[in-house]
Amino acid sequence: MKTQEFEFKGFVGNGFAFLFLNLILTALSVASFFFGDVLGAMAYILGVVGLILTFFIWAGVKQLEPNEARVMVFFGEYKGTFRRTGFYWVNPFLEAKKVSLRARNLNVEPIKVNDKVGNPILIGLVLVWRLKDTYKALFEIDSQTMASKSNEAGASVAGRMKAFEDFVRVQSDAALRQVAGLYAYDNNEGGENELTLRNGGEEVNEQLVQKLNERLAMAGMEVMEARINYLAYAPEIAAVMLRRQQASAIISAREKIVEGAVSMVKMALDRLDTDEIVELDEEKKAAMVSNLLVVLCADEPAQPVINSGTLNH
């Protein structure tokens, strides 16, 4: 998007020089009142004009700290953005709208959205943003009206930055809903290699930054970092999803137990044959396998039964 911001090219004087000049002018204006007997009415006229000029000079003094800017407007016409740090004097008829260019944090409270497969989830994020284009921030969106409505001191830098933050918060909510709808919560509904909100990590965060910058470009704002800081199932399905996760864990554990038990049974049969400890026919091997699997896969300890007879009885 094309920017219309440009640097202020009007007259800029040294603030300390004009401050010193203003002090001298003030002293001369006050002193002229004491020479009324000599100069007559002209002394009073010079004194009044001098005092008016002191107020005029004082109104043009501006102080600018690092990472601050002033948007210069002359009777409604944009004259540029002033960014030079220090103490200066500019035309007092220029309205200098002060804004901050420093990075700011925003913690977006968790919101309820539907993921890719339709499950309701709670998701929140934290982001770092800053003002990049002062022209768009002040004139492309109605930030000044929003500031005056949300804060009695809407014309102050705090009121403007609060309006910018509200705009970022609303757009962050929309971007978060858009990104959350592109991915499933986890791999239970998709393939093992599918990117999800739980395992997406940096890729999901980069997608968030991209979507946020697309939405905030019109307002001259830039998101430097965005991260999901809260992710959970919505309360109405949290208990069901917990039971599903527990069932998946139990199934996975059972698979490992059975795999290990089969390996142990095979090893036992191979050792019996190799060491020629006992000869077993197929029927007795099947019975032994069945008994071993029951013992190895059971949740509770096996109760031994001693057979005092033959192997057949």
Side-chain angles (χ1 to χ4, degrees), residues 113-123 175-191 193-211 228 231-233:
V113 301
N114 291 330
D115 66 1
K116 182 179 179 180
V117 295
N119 292 325
I121 61 174
L122 294 176
I123 185 170
L176 187 57
R177 291 179 185 275
Q178 182 180 2
V179 173
L182 299 176
Y183 304 98
Y185 179 87
D186 53 26
N187 288 320
N188 287 324
E189 280 85 9
N193 298 325
E194 182 181 352
L195 189 66
T196 66
L197 294 173
R198 288 188 63 186
N199 65 19
E202 290 300 324
E203 295 184 44
V204 175
N205 293 332
E206 289 175 4
Q207 185 81 353
L208 265 175
V209 172
Q210 178 184 347
K211 297 297 183 185
I228 294 176
L231 183 63
Y233 282 114

Side-chain angles (χ1 to χ4, degrees), residues 142-219:
D142 197 9
S143 57
Q144 300 181 74
T145 302
M146 290 189 294
S148 62
K149 288 182 179 180
S150 62
N151 193 327
E152 292 183 359
S156 68
V157 61
R160 293 191 190 97
M161 298 311 296
K162 179 63 170 61
F164 297 151
E165 183 174 302
D166 291 341
F167 186 87
V168 174
R169 188 185 303 277
V170 173
Q171 294 302 319
S172 299
D173 186 292
L176 187 57
R177 291 179 185 275
Q178 182 180 2
V179 173
L182 299 176
Y183 304 98
Y185 179 87
D186 53 26
N187 288 320
N188 287 324
E189 280 85 9
E192 291 295 327
N193 298 325
E194 182 181 352
L195 189 66
T196 66
L197 294 173
R198 288 188 63 186
N199 65 19
E202 290 300 324
E203 295 184 44
V204 175
N205 293 332
E206 289 175 4
Q207 185 81 353
L208 265 175
V209 172
Q210 178 184 347
K211 297 297 183 185
L212 283 166
N213 282 327
E214 289 175 359
R215 291 176 173 273
L216 296 176
M218 73 173 84

